[in-house]
Amino acid sequence: MKNSRKPKLKNLYYKLINSRIFSPIRKLWELFLSRMKKSIRFELVVVFGVCFMIAFITFGFSNSMFSDIVRETYMDYEESVSNIYYRADDLVRNINLSKVSSKDTDKIKSMIKNSFVRRSDDKVLITDLDGNIIVKTDNASETRIDIYTMVKNSMDSKNSLSSGNAGKKVDGIYPVSFTDTKAYMIISSIPTAQIMERTYVGKKSFLSILVALISFVLSFIIITNNKMKYIQEISRGLKEISRGNLSYRIDKKGEDELGILSGNINFMAQEIQTKIENERKAEKTKNELITNVSHDLRTPLTSIMGYIGLVKDGKYKDEKELKEYLEIAFSKSERLKILIDDLFEYTKLTNAEAQLQLQRVNLNEFLEQLIEELRADYEDNQLTLKKNFLQEKIMVKVDTNKMLRVFENLFTNAIKYSHKPGTVEVYLEKFSETVVFSINNRGDNLSKEELTKIFERFYRADEARNSTISGSGLGLAITKNIVELHGGKVWANCEDNLITFYVQLPLLKEKLEDEANFWN
């Protein structure tokens, strides 16, 4: 039975929370929590408020414990004076309601005795409008009253009581109505004192103020302890990063300014670490490049110098041998020029400021024109070139000169490394966002490790720099850089000696391009 009631109570709780009455309160509470999470300034204001309330409550308790309690006795006339006026009002009301004649003195005296007279000093006089006494109590000796003086004395009596001169005689004058005339009733009585006692806190104890101050400081330290520890953690993290440990990361806690600060410090450390790693990588690359270039330049240059030295020293048999030496030197010079040109091109492409001259190109026509120009070279190398292209136009936005270098490198690479005689196949496929060019040929099998390194500069799968296959070793590295500058990617695959190179480029959608030109 209890378990069945729990879901009902829970549903009732959620209904109350989401009702119109509690909805504003819930929203304010959520806003309060959000501000607490995201603003350390707001959080500090709340903490100060909480600490102040704790200090205020502590002061109240400690003040009652440590302050001097004063008990004082005094004479109180207020209750007696109030009683005198109350009896006088009661007497006036009885006379007015009884409709008695001014000549019925016995009845009037009886009413005075019953309503007012309590002690021997209680005196009542009833006069006509001129001050002549109609009725009086036995303790009254007056025969005539000056009404105006009596009114003044009555006012002075009230003023003296209000100013604190209690214990003096109380006088009062009231108008009354008889059946036969109107009159004045004058009362006179001396109030009696009551001994009263009152208790109050004397001077506030300095000790209670000190306790309140200590409670404020302690509560502030306890509440803000986690934040202080986090600030110290950030400080230690900054110190560690400043010592060169750029892999150190500060834990991000919360969404306030300290959390944002720790995130920014981590981002700064990551950026500095990345820049340093890039600089080290660039330095290593530069050293490797210098080493490789020195090796690749020295080999043909040594040959050139050797053959020219033979010619200069006349160490040749006849004109035929002289011509042979010069042709070898010229061939080596051409190879040296190709290497220098490729090196210059690679350096430009790896520069961050490399610029592309983009223009819209029909990739089908672009590749078909290049294939026709290279067909003779393929036939000379006993290779058959087959193309598998779509008939529709495939538009891309490329730098034609640089992209021509990409496809020339891939076609030339297929000629160099194909088994001869053989067939080279070219494909052009269109997808929703990209276009993929691929070229495959039969050649020496390449391992996965070789495929990952094939686009590195100066790398050759046969690892023979003195190979009879000409080239700078920078062709595929240049290809990769150019494609990546165009927002594409290039990769290679090898299965059963079938080597395939892929080039993926962003597809230029004609409709979107036409609409952009229209609005521009």
Side-chain angles (χ1 to χ4, degrees), residues 331-347:
S331 175
K332 297 293 182 181
S333 300
E334 284 185 327
R335 184 176 177 183
L336 186 61
K337 181 179 182 301
I338 291 171
L339 177 60
I340 293 171
D341 289 343
D342 285 350
L343 181 63
F344 180 69
E345 181 70 17
Y346 177 78
T347 305

Side-chain angles (χ1 to χ4, degrees), residues 451-505:
L451 287 173
T452 57
K453 294 181 178 179
I454 201 168
F455 292 99
E456 294 180 6
R457 62 194 177 282
F458 299 112
Y459 179 81
R460 289 184 183 176
D462 58 9
E463 298 183 356
R465 293 194 177 278
N466 295 323
S467 171
T468 55
I469 299 176
S470 63
S472 64
L474 288 169
L476 290 179
I478 292 171
T479 297
K480 181 183 177 184
N481 284 335
I482 293 175
V483 172
E484 288 179 351
L485 280 174
H486 283 81
K489 62 180 181 178
V490 59
W491 69 97
N493 187 33
C494 182
E495 291 183 6
D496 298 330
N497 291 55
L498 183 66
I499 304 168
T500 307
F501 285 89
Y502 298 90
V503 176
Q504 179 180 284
L505 294 170

Side-chain angles (χ1 to χ4, degrees), residues 130-152:
D130 295 325
N132 299 314
I133 293 175
I134 300 173
V135 178
K136 64 180 179 178
T137 55
D138 295 338
N139 59 352
S141 60
E142 292 86 346
T143 57
R144 194 176 186 283
I145 296 296
D146 185 353
I147 297 299
Y148 297 105
T149 303
M150 194 63 211
V151 170
K152 184 177 180 301

Side-chain angles (χ1 to χ4, degrees), residues 373-385 415 420-421:
E373 292 175 0
L374 295 172
R375 194 174 293 279
D377 291 336
Y378 271 76
E379 291 174 356
D380 292 342
N381 285 276
Q382 300 178 1
L383 293 171
T384 303
L385 189 59
I415 294 173
K420 302 173 180 65

Side-chain angles (χ1 to χ4, degrees), residues 184-241:
Y184 290 107
M185 183 183 74
I186 299 162
I187 61 105
S188 178
S189 181
I190 297 174
T192 57
Q194 287 183 332
I195 298 174
M196 304 292 290
E197 186 179 90
R198 59 187 172 194
T199 304
Y200 60 91
V201 180
K203 291 183 179 179
K204 290 181 172 56
S205 172
F206 174 75
L207 188 59
S208 61
I209 298 174
L210 183 61
V211 169
L213 182 61
I214 292 172
S215 68
F216 181 89
V217 174
L218 287 177
S219 59
F220 184 81
I221 291 172
I222 292 169
I223 295 172
T224 60
N225 185 47
N226 289 335
K227 287 295 179 186
M228 295 301 106
K229 285 183 178 179
Y230 190 44
I231 291 172
Q232 291 173 358
E233 186 179 338
I234 292 173
S235 178
R236 286 195 298 271
L238 278 171
K239 202 169 186 179
E240 190 70 22
I241 292 169

